[in-house]
Amino acid sequence: MPTFDYSEFPTLRTERLVLRELRGSDAEDLFAVRSDPYVQRYNSVPHTDVSESAEMIERLTELFAKHEWIHWGVALRENDKLIGLYSLGWNEGHRRAEIGYDLNRAYWGKRLASEALGAMLAFAFDVLEVNRLEAQTIADNHESTRLLRKFGFQLEGVRRGYSLEEDGEFHGGAIYGLLRSEYEGGQA
Ligand SMILES: CC(C)(COP(=O)(O)OP(=O)(O)OC[C@H]1O[C@@H](n2cnc3c(N)ncnc32)[C@H](O)[C@@H]1OP(=O)(O)O)[C@@H](O)C(=O)NCCC(=O)NCCS
């Protein structure tokens, strides 16, 4: 049986990052991520005021308290600045989880997203003992699909014409999955 029971927030550490509980004081840094129209182009409407980011932190913190989702603030180890938000929704009964991830655009292309995802995958497979991880992403969100493929996620299907995005176009919704056997097979 998995050892995780939500009694304590699962802080994860990597070489350059700490994935930790969100705090009210992260609101400005979260706003920098969530107000960027390019980061948000396949996600919810960009925040226009920091109060929306502050409310979001409260909402996400409650989801952890209700044992519904884990949302990690991705912060730089050197100064604790929040540069992203990673999430995992765990279905214990079916031993699967869904993940989400985004990073402040100033930190793209530095393999920080990969570093954070590696830590989240290890937590999911080793601590939660999931059999399957799933990510839903817009099919032409190339930065996102590149990250998933790098970690061995397989494209399982595309829901055609799935969502109407900011560009006024309908986009396909892709489902990517990674099974425990594939994850373990890909480990060094
Ligand atoms: C998805 C996201 C987190 C990826 O971040 P990232 O900074 O590109 O990730 P990384 O730096 O770890 O790079 C991942 C891979 O892409 C490659 N890559 C990154 N930028 C690249 C570029 N400009 N050109 C070519 N390859 C690039 C990296 O080299 C790496 O592969 P490698 O280690 O095999 O070389 C980021 O684009 C993001 O926040 N997007 C907006 C939010 C979003 O859409 N989230 C998903 C919603 S479901």
Side-chain angles (χ1 to χ4, degrees):
M1 285 292 285
T3 51
F4 183 71
D5 65 1
Y6 291 90
S7 57
E8 205 174 305
F9 191 86
T11 301
L12 311 176
R13 286 187 178 76
T14 68
E15 194 187 333
R16 292 175 291 174
L17 300 169
V18 53
L19 280 67
R20 57 157 175 79
E21 199 163 11
L22 289 162
R23 308 179 189 124
S25 54
D26 292 320
E28 288 283 353
D29 288 335
L30 183 61
F31 182 66
V33 182
R34 290 277 159 161
S35 61
D36 182 332
Y38 191 74
V39 171
Q40 291 296 110
R41 73 199 189 287
Y42 297 131
N43 202 340
S44 47
V45 178
H47 290 181
T48 54
D49 190 276
V50 69
S51 62
E52 294 172 73
S53 309
E55 280 162 21
M56 184 176 182
I57 290 173
E58 282 177 23
R59 210 168 52 244
L60 302 185
T61 305
E62 272 171 32
L63 290 181
F64 181 81
K66 291 199 277 190
H67 300 187
E68 289 181 10
W69 276 80
I70 306 172
H71 285 85
W72 286 273
V74 178
L76 295 172
R77 278 186 88 149
E78 60 184 27
N79 56 10
D80 206 32
K81 177 184 169 56
L82 182 129
I83 62 163
L85 184 65
Y86 273 48
S87 62
L88 184 146
W90 183 31
N91 185 320
E92 187 173 0
H94 292 294
R95 292 177 60 193
R96 67 169 190 246
E98 183 180 340
I99 60 166
Y101 40 86
D102 55 46
L103 221 58
N104 182 319
R105 195 146 47 111
Y107 297 87
W108 287 14
K110 300 174 190 294
R111 297 208 170 103
L112 288 162
S114 301
E115 209 170 297
L117 186 57
M120 193 162 72
L121 298 196
F123 173 76
F125 285 110
D126 300 343
V127 178
L128 303 183
E129 298 181 19
V130 298
N131 176 58
R132 169 188 169 80
L133 277 185
E134 177 171 312
Q136 300 188 32
T137 187
I138 296 302
D140 18 84
N141 185 349
H142 302 300
E143 292 95 353
S144 171
T145 58
R146 183 173 60 202
L147 180 66
L148 293 170
R149 286 196 310 272
K150 171 178 169 181
F151 281 86
F153 280 77
Q154 310 259 345
L155 177 61
E156 297 178 330
V158 177
R159 293 182 282 200
R160 295 168 302 147
Y162 182 67
S163 62
L164 180 58
E165 298 296 337
E166 288 294 299
D167 59 6
E169 302 285 335
F170 290 101
H171 290 258
I175 300 173
Y176 280 81
L178 177 66
L179 298 181
R180 166 177 288 280
S181 53
E182 295 159 346
Y183 175 73
E184 288 173 346
Q187 298 279 295

